[in-house]
Amino acid sequence: MTRTELPYDIAIVGLGIAGVPQITHEAEETMRRCRHVFVADTGNGVAEYLRTLSPHVVDLASEKETGAHRIPIYRRFASHVVSAALAEPPVCFATYGHPTMFCYPTTLIQRSAVVLDLKVALVPGVSSLDTLLCDLGVDPGSDGLQMYEATDLLVRRRPLQNDVACVITQAPMVADALNRPAARDVDNLALLQAYLLKFYPADHEVVLATSSPHPLLEPLVQQVRLGSLAAGLVQSAQLTTLFIPPVARRAIADAQLAQRMRVAGAEPVQAAAGAGSAVPTRPGRPNIGPQQPAN
Ligand SMILES: C[S@@+](CC[C@H](N)C(=O)[O-])C[C@H]1O[C@@H](n2cnc3c(N)ncnc32)[C@H](O)[C@@H]1O
C-alpha cells in the first residue's frame, strides 16, 4: 500500500510510558508510513529514535513554553498536525502514553478533522494506567475502578465511591491551568485533600505512584495518609498519579445470584472447607480469594 492509498490522513499513535522499549510494532509501522511525524514525548532518546523511522520528525516539546496556559499550547500542537495533513498527508501525531488517555491535543485534532473532512486513525499505546496497575499489582476486576482528572474532580464536585479503587491524574498540578512542571501550589493541593476527606478517613493510606520512564529505573511508590496528602504532593514528581485503594469491600446485595455465581464471600467461612463451599477450593490450600471485611 502506498502512502497515498492509506486509509487515513492523520495517524495518532501512543508511544508508551517507559521510552523506546514500550513503542509497539504497530506504532512504529504507522510512523514509517507517514510523511511527517510530530512528537510530544520528552522521554529519553524517543525523538532521536523516531528520526530513525521517519526523515521528517518535528519535536513539539519546544512549543511547551513554561508559564503559558496549557490550552493554547495544545491548540498549537493540533494546528501543526492538521496543517501538515492538509498539505502533505498522511502525517502522524505521536504522543507519550496512550493517545486518548487524558490527551487534549488528540481531541482537538479529531474535532478539526471532522470540520476539514480529514480521516483519522488511532493506534493505542501503553498508558500510565497500564503501568500503574503493574507497579501496584492492582486488578480492577476485584472492586472496580474510578478514574478522574484532579481539577475536573473538584470543579464538578464528582461523587466518589469509597469502596471502589480510585485513580486521580494530574494531582500535583490540581487547579493550575498553566504549564509549570516544577510549581506546586499548597493551597490548591489542600483543596484536593479537603475534598477527598469528604469521602475517606484521614488515616486512609493512599499511594503516590510514578511509573518508570526508562527500563533501568524503578517506579517510585510512596504511601501517605490522606490527611497528609498535600504535604506528600508538594514533594512528588510532576507525573505522579494518586491511587486511593478502597476503604472496604462492598457487601453482596444479591445473595442468591452471588451463590449461583460462586462469588467469593457469598457463603460465610465454609469457603476454605473444600467440598460444598461456594468457591471451588483444593483440599489443604488456604483461601487466598478476596476476603469480606470484618464488621
Ligand atoms: C496529560 S496526562 C497524559 C497521560 C498519558 N496520555 C497516558 O496515556 O498515560 C498526564 C498524567 O498522566 C499520569 N502519568 C503520566 N506519566 C506517568 C508516569 N510515568 N507515572 C505515573 N503517572 C503518569 C499523571 O497522572 C499525569 O498527571
Side-chain angles (χ1 to χ4, degrees):
M1 194 181 272
T2 64
R3 281 174 175 159
T4 45
E5 289 167 344
L6 288 174
Y8 51 80
D9 303 297
I10 304 174
I12 306 182
V13 308
L15 297 172
I17 296 295
V20 175
Q22 240 169 38
I23 301 175
T24 65
H25 288 305
E26 187 184 20
E28 275 203 22
E29 196 47 46
T30 305
M31 288 185 278
R32 281 185 209 280
R33 292 174 177 203
C34 289
R35 290 183 209 270
H36 300 272
V37 174
F38 294 86
V39 56
D41 188 332
T42 52
N44 261 341
V46 171
E48 290 78 0
Y49 181 70
L50 300 194
R51 289 198 175 94
T52 69
L53 308 176
S54 164
H56 297 117
V57 174
V58 179
D59 190 348
L60 294 172
S62 60
E63 303 274 332
K64 288 194 90 176
E65 192 188 325
T66 303
H69 198 287
R70 285 199 291 271
I71 298 290
I73 293 176
Y74 296 146
R75 285 186 187 144
R76 269 203 304 280
F77 282 18
S79 88
H80 283 307
V81 175
V82 172
S83 309
L86 289 169
E88 279 192 294
V91 304
C92 180
F93 173 59
T95 182
Y96 83 109
H98 178 88
T100 61
M101 177 70 87
F102 297 79
C103 187
Y104 191 51
T106 297
T107 303
L108 292 176
I109 293 168
Q110 287 175 303
R111 286 182 192 159
S112 315
V114 171
V115 176
L116 297 167
D117 198 22
L118 294 167
K119 290 189 280 307
V120 176
L122 285 159
V123 176
V126 175
S127 74
S128 57
L129 177 62
D130 298 308
T131 55
L132 180 98
L133 296 179
C134 283
D135 293 343
L136 304 186
V138 169
D139 183 339
S142 297
D143 290 299
L145 188 69
Q146 52 198 330
M147 184 173 191
Y148 297 108
E149 196 279 329
T151 305
D152 172 69
L153 178 74
L154 298 189
V155 168
R156 294 183 198 284
R157 294 263 178 260
R158 291 193 185 274
L160 294 173
Q161 300 179 67
N162 71 9
D163 53 15
V164 174
C166 182
V167 171
I168 298 182
T169 63
Q170 308 210 127
M173 70 268 287
V174 64
D176 188 350
L178 305 183
N179 175 43
R180 301 188 301 163
R184 298 285 181 278
D185 185 315
V186 184
D187 293 340
N188 290 343
L189 297 175
L191 282 180
L192 178 62
Q193 177 178 313
Y195 186 67
L196 293 173
L197 284 171
K198 293 180 193 293
F199 301 93
Y200 301 89
D203 62 356
H204 189 51
E205 297 255 354
V206 303
V207 184
L208 305 181
T210 313
S211 298
S212 166
H214 191 279
L216 293 178
L217 297 173
E218 294 292 319
L220 301 173
V221 176
Q222 185 198 354
Q223 292 213 317
V224 294
R225 287 175 197 272
L226 192 58
S228 307
L229 176 68
L233 284 172
V234 165
Q235 293 169 20
S236 68
Q238 184 214 346
L239 288 176
T240 294
T241 293
L242 169 61
F243 178 81
I244 311 178
V247 290
R249 286 215 94 195
R250 193 172 188 83
I252 286 169
D254 186 334
Q256 230 179 357
L257 180 59
Q259 276 197 8
R260 179 151 70 80
M261 300 309 295
R262 298 183 162 200
V263 171
E267 279 184 0
V269 194
Q270 296 168 17
S277 65
V279 181
T281 59
R282 286 178 290 173
R285 300 296 173 102
N287 177 15
I288 58 169
Q291 309 293 314
Q292 284 297 99
N295 289 319

